[in-house]
Structure formats: structure tokens, C-alpha cells
Amino acid sequence: MNEIKQRLNIKIIFIAFFLPILVIWIIDSTLTGDFSSFDTSDSFTRFANAILTSYTLGSFLLLGNLFFYADSRNRPLAPLFGMALAVLLGVISTIILIGMGPMLLESNGSVKAQAVYNVGHTIVSFLAISLAGIICIGSMFSTITNGKKRNIFLEEE
Amino acid sequence: MDAMYIAVLFFWIPMSSIVLGLWVSFSSKQDSKIYFGRILTVISFLLVCISPWTAPLSPSSSIGHLIGFIVGPSILLLTGLYLITFSGNVPVGKLPYSDKRLGFICLFIGTIWFLMMQWGDLTPMYYGDELNKFWLIFFPTMLILLCSLSSVLSISMLVIGDNRQKESRFMAAISLFTLIIIICAMTIDGKNVSSNQFSDYLWLSVSDLLGISVGVSLSILIFGLVIYLYESNLEQPGSVNPPSKKELSLASIKISQNIGGEESE
């Protein structure tokens, strides 16, 4: 029973994340009289570039994290090598996929320019994500601490 | 010097040093290393902020230009939230009640500042007439995530929390407020940013957020797989010899020294 409730809760929370986006899409569609200003071609390009860049940067950061993991395991080389391969895979697939043609090139003229732009874009997105996350969590804590004072433990009789 | 080398020297190296500095300051246990990390972060951050002057020909310096513009309202918002949170019912580090008013003022000014950047004269502009394109990435991404996350937290308070209806309503109000700002930005032209531009970039931001979540999940999955494969290939640790008579007698002495006493009623 608890498991069903937990799954239902996760579904509700998942819906809560996408509901505002859906509402905006409906309003935008109503305002423009079309299926909103959502351009599938540009959006796919951005989506693909975001996957490639965030995978590569994320793997690179996790590769650094492995050094700390290695501290408790007599510094083994095998996981470091494995993660370095994962980073290399990200870099090579980025270069190959961007170089395949205009599909992943946004308004940039070369693979190098697009790759550097992707990193810059991800940094800006990361700043926006961090700020939004901190504001949300900060707002939640401020409402909790400014609510009624609660007794956590029942007083002993 | 070539523009690319200037960008590497005055933008990308300081940008990487921010991450390195944060990493060193958070992961080190020695005070000297922690201070070194903090100083490196601050100096690198300043170098990134002045990159529009040190590397003016590089498009990457637009990021430094944007950071310079958003640092003010962001600090105000974060300070406001900090003051409001810690002037409430907190068990330790409670701030005086007057700080709550100051916190609301900071929050209000920070919000108005951001809104003025979208509709007023405070938009990040190059040389007064060229819009910094990274603003069109930053602002829609922040708004859409703020709206969705507030909605998630509002529902979470109801589903997971105990008697948190008031807090849930407050988070829902933040989500609604952000939604109204997004709709206004999609319909009302600013001085430097048109509503059409905002709409186009808003949907690109949604694609971007989905792409980032997929990419980061993939990298975490690979990381877990690498560790799992390594751990599963490790040999079983050899078992230790049974304790000798001397060790057993020593252990029994230690145990008898540490247990016993009168039984409590």
C-alpha cells in the first residue's frame, strides 16, 4: 500500500513540474493562434547540443570526483581510466556529431565555435538553474521558519 | 595576440579557476588550502566579470558581461531570503526581528531590478545598442525553472509534509507570480527585448533544460556503472586468523571493565 502511495506521490510531483510548462504552452498557442512559437528544428538542435555538452561536462566533473573515491581504495587506476574513456567518448561524439553538418550548428560557422558556444551556453544555463534552485529552497525555508512555532517532541507526562 | 588566446587567457582560465577554487575550498581539510581556494575563487570571479574589457573581441566575454549585470539583483535576492529565514523560528543563529523587514526590502528591490532588466533600461547591452544574447538564455531558463520548482515544492508540502497547507499555498503563489511574469514577457515588449524574442528563447530554454537533465543523468549512470564494474571485479578480502588465547583474555578483561553495574529500575 505504501509503495503504491509512494509511486503516486512521485507521479503527482512529476506532473507538478510539467504542469506550468503545459499551461504556458496553451496560453502561448492561444495568443499566437498557432502551435505556439515552439520551433521543433531549433529546439531539437538545442536539445541535442545540451545533451552532448552536459554529458561531457558532467562526466568530467565526476572524473574529478573519482580522485576522492580513490582515496579509500588505494588509488586504483581502473575506474579513473573508465571515467576518462567516458569523457573522451563525450568529446569525440560532440566533435563528430557537430561536424556532420548544419544539423547541430546553430548560428556558428565551425565545430570549434559551436563547441565553445555550447560550453558557454551550459555555464549560463547552470547559473540560471542554480539561482532558481536556491531561490525556491530559500523561499520554502523562509515560509517554514516564519510559520507557527511547532513542538517537535511531545512533553513527557 | 590572437583573439582566441586572449579569450583563453582572460576568460576561460579564470572561469575554470572558479570551479577549481570552489573544489579546493570545499574538499580540503587544511585551513591554508581552504583560504587558497576561496582567494582563487574571488580573484577568478573578478577576472571573469572584467572580461568584457580584457577580452573585448571574444564572444565568450558576453558571459562575464552577463554575470556582472546579474550579480547585484542575485545577491539582493539571496540576502533577502537569508534575512527572512533566519529572523524566523530557528533554534540557533536567530537574527533580530528588524532584519525581516530589511530582508523583504532586499527581496523587493532584487525582484524589481530583474524586472527592469527585462522591460526597463537595465538590460545587459553591449556598447548601449547590442543586446547580450546570453540574457535571453538566462532569464527564461531561470523563470521557467522557478515556476516549475515552486509548483513541485508546493505539491510536495501537501503530499509529504504534515499540516503544511499554508506553506504550500505560499509556494503556489510564487509559482503563479512567476507564471504571470512569463506570460507578461511573452506579450509585452520591453525597451530592448521584444516579446517574440522572449517566446522563442523560452521554448529553447525548455529544450535546454530537458537536454541538460538527460545529459547529466547519462553521466551519473556511466559513473555508477564504472564504479559498479570495478567493485564487482574486486577479489573477496581474505579472512583474518582466529584470536589467540592472549587476545581473548585481554578482550574479556576489557569487557568486564566496561559492563556490569547496578540495574536501573
Side-chain angles (χ1 to χ4, degrees):
Chain A
M1 188 69 187
N2 272 343
E3 201 177 316
I4 295 168
K5 200 181 168 188
Q6 206 173 0
R7 276 186 194 170
L8 198 69
N9 290 348
I10 291 168
K11 276 182 190 168
I12 291 170
I13 288 168
F14 195 73
I15 290 167
F17 186 85
F18 285 102
L19 187 68
I21 297 171
L22 191 70
V23 170
I24 293 164
W25 184 69
I26 291 167
I27 292 169
D28 190 30
S29 298
T30 314
L31 289 171
T32 53
D34 199 353
F35 284 109
S36 84
S37 39
F38 182 83
D39 185 324
T40 44
S41 170
D42 285 352
S43 295
F44 173 74
T45 306
R46 188 86 295 280
F47 177 70
N49 276 319
I51 290 179
L52 288 170
T53 318
S54 56
Y55 166 76
T56 312
L57 290 179
S59 303
F60 188 70
L61 285 175
L62 289 171
L63 171 68
N65 228 19
L66 266 183
F67 282 103
F68 297 102
Y69 162 79
D71 266 347
S72 57
R73 293 284 191 281
N74 296 325
R75 295 205 170 275
L77 280 174
L80 282 175
F81 181 72
M83 210 57 212
L85 269 182
V87 175
L88 205 65
L89 181 77
V91 173
I92 291 171
S93 52
T94 305
I95 292 168
I96 290 173
L97 288 172
I98 294 174
M100 274 172 76
M103 189 177 71
L104 293 187
L105 284 175
E106 286 171 291
S107 51
N108 297 295
S110 67
V111 174
K112 196 164 69 179
Q114 182 63 43
V116 172
Y117 174 77
N118 280 348
V119 177
H121 194 119
T122 309
I123 290 170
V124 173
S125 297
F126 177 75
L127 284 176
I129 292 168
S130 313
L131 189 62
I134 294 170
I135 290 172
C136 275
I137 292 168
S139 306
M140 187 184 71
F141 275 110
S142 64
T143 51
I144 289 172
T145 59
N146 284 281
K148 276 183 186 171
K149 200 171 183 178
R150 292 178 175 214
N151 287 328
I152 298 171
F153 301 107
L154 290 172
E155 283 181 27
E156 281 183 32
E157 287 174 13
Chain B
M1 206 191 288
D2 189 35
M4 192 180 81
Y5 293 116
I6 290 175
V8 169
L9 192 65
F10 292 107
F11 180 79
W12 289 107
I13 290 177
M15 185 55 96
S16 316
S17 302
I18 293 177
V19 181
L20 187 73
L22 285 172
W23 198 353
V24 170
S25 66
F26 282 122
S27 63
S28 301
K29 286 168 187 166
Q30 293 172 10
D31 283 349
S32 57
K33 280 188 180 175
I34 293 170
Y35 286 127
F36 170 74
R38 284 178 187 168
I39 290 167
L40 185 68
T41 306
V42 172
I43 292 172
S44 307
F45 182 77
L46 290 174
L47 284 173
V48 167
C49 285
I50 60 164
S51 62
W53 290 280
T54 50
L57 296 175
S58 165
S60 308
S61 64
S62 308
I63 301 169
H65 184 257
L66 177 79
I67 292 173
F69 267 82
I70 62 170
V71 74
S74 303
I75 287 175
L76 275 174
L77 284 179
L78 300 182
T79 310
L81 284 172
Y82 171 80
L83 292 174
I84 295 168
T85 303
F86 284 93
S87 56
N89 297 320
V90 285
V92 284
K94 188 173 163 63
L95 298 171
Y97 185 77
S98 57
D99 281 3
K100 189 181 283 182
R101 205 173 300 147
L102 185 65
F104 277 114
I105 291 168
C106 288
L107 212 58
F108 179 74
I109 295 172
T111 310
I112 295 293
W113 194 337
F114 265 124
L115 296 181
M116 288 292 286
M117 285 171 83
Q118 173 66 20
W119 282 286
D121 283 324
L122 300 176
T123 316
M125 303 289 283
Y126 264 141
Y127 309 112
D129 59 348
E130 194 187 331
L131 175 69
N132 185 340
K133 294 280 182 199
F134 284 110
W135 169 250
L136 290 170
I137 296 162
F138 175 82
F139 199 53
T141 309
M142 190 186 83
L143 286 180
I144 202 101
L145 201 66
L146 201 57
C147 189
S148 292
L149 277 183
S150 310
S151 166
V152 166
L153 289 176
S154 168
I155 298 294
S156 304
M157 292 261 194
L158 283 179
V159 174
I160 302 164
D162 176 31
N163 200 16
R164 293 281 183 200
Q165 285 84 357
K166 194 183 158 194
E167 288 85 352
S168 170
R169 277 200 296 273
F170 185 80
M171 292 311 293
I174 292 177
S175 182
L176 191 69
F177 175 69
T178 322
L179 190 73
I180 291 168
I181 292 176
I182 292 172
I183 292 164
C184 287
M186 286 164 83
T187 48
I188 303 167
D189 287 339
K191 269 195 165 180
N192 304 302
V193 186
S194 72
S195 54
N196 286 336
Q197 263 180 322
F198 184 87
S199 293
D200 292 345
Y201 276 89
L202 182 82
W203 295 116
L204 289 178
S205 296
V206 174
S207 312
D208 212 25
L209 284 173
L210 290 176
I212 287 173
S213 54
V214 172
V216 170
S217 306
L218 267 175
S219 64
I220 292 170
L221 200 74
I222 296 279
F223 181 70
L225 193 72
V226 165
I227 289 185
Y228 171 75
L229 285 175
Y230 172 69
E231 294 278 349
S232 59
N233 284 325
L234 283 178
E235 289 175 8
Q236 288 288 325
S239 53
V240 291
N241 294 325
S244 62
K245 280 186 179 175
K246 194 181 169 188
E247 285 167 338
L248 282 172
S249 64
L250 192 69
S252 65
I253 292 166
K254 289 285 175 195
I255 291 166
S256 62
Q257 281 172 350
N258 288 287
I259 58 171
E262 290 175 11
E263 279 187 24
S264 59
E265 289 176 10

